[in-house]
Amino acid sequence: MVAAARVVSGVKAEGLLRGACAALAAAAALLVGLSTQTETVLLVRKKATVKDVQALWVLAMAAASAAGYHLLQLLKCLYLGRRRSGRALAWTCLLLDKACAYATFATTVAAAQACVVALDGAHALQWTKLCNIYTRFCEQVAGSLALGMLAAVGTAVLSAASARNVFRLYYCSSHASPPPRETCAAH
């Protein structure tokens, strides 16, 4: 009975974390994707959008993809719940979780690097500071970067949980003497 309760609490924890990662990634994608600001500079109206900085556009697409992936994994978690999963499914989930964690982290860091140039400028290239002109746009992008980084950290935690599930499958099937019931209750 205790082992079954641990499995249920593990499934609930994974579901909550997947839901949180999906919400964070979706919020990051929406915040950066819908951010625009129009300013008049020397009698010319200029509009700052996410497509002006390619790294921000990639971040919006990657965060939206990560949110969709986490929603699909959440549905899998809810559907399978306490059922036994095979090694192939466990390995697939591990590899996809790793890929999602790396992609989310890499795109967020690349967008942050592009934003540093927008914040400080690059004097050697004669690029001017943009955040003193488009303040609201830069603040929204900064919020999106924070949400994206939180989603990346959550995805890394989920990746570690997936790795634990994979190695627990091998541990539970390879021992001649039966391992403790709590360790292999779900598998």
Side-chain angles (χ1 to χ4, degrees), residues 1-12 181-183 185:
M1 189 65 172
V2 173
R6 284 186 187 174
V7 171
V8 170
S9 67
V11 169
K12 285 182 182 179
R181 288 185 66 186
E182 299 87 29
T183 306

Side-chain angles (χ1 to χ4, degrees), residues 72-153:
L72 288 175
Q73 284 286 60
L74 179 61
L75 292 175
K76 179 207 63 109
C77 188
L78 294 174
Y79 177 72
L80 292 180
R82 293 176 245 168
R83 294 184 196 161
R84 182 180 177 160
S85 63
R87 288 182 182 176
L89 180 62
W91 273 105
T92 302
C93 289
L94 171 64
L95 294 175
L96 289 174
D97 282 346
K98 290 275 186 203
C100 185
Y102 292 141
T104 306
F105 181 74
T107 56
T108 304
V109 170
Q113 183 179 9
C115 289
V116 167
V117 172
L119 184 65
D120 294 335
H123 301 292
L125 299 173
Q126 296 180 351
W127 291 348
T128 60
K129 297 178 184 180
L130 295 175
C131 285
N132 55 355
I133 298 170
Y134 301 107
T135 307
R136 183 176 45 88
F137 178 76
C138 289
E139 289 171 352
Q140 290 173 340
V141 168
S144 177
L145 290 173
L147 292 172
M149 196 53 72
L150 288 173
V153 169

Side-chain angles (χ1 to χ4, degrees), residues 133-179:
I133 298 170
Y134 301 107
T135 307
R136 183 176 45 88
F137 178 76
C138 289
E139 289 171 352
Q140 290 173 340
V141 168
S144 177
L145 290 173
L147 292 172
M149 196 53 72
L150 288 173
V153 169
T155 305
V157 171
L158 283 169
S159 178
S162 291
R164 180 181 179 269
N165 289 338
V166 165
F167 295 118
R168 186 170 46 183
L169 283 173
Y170 285 97
Y171 174 78
C172 293
S173 67
S174 66
H175 282 63
S177 63

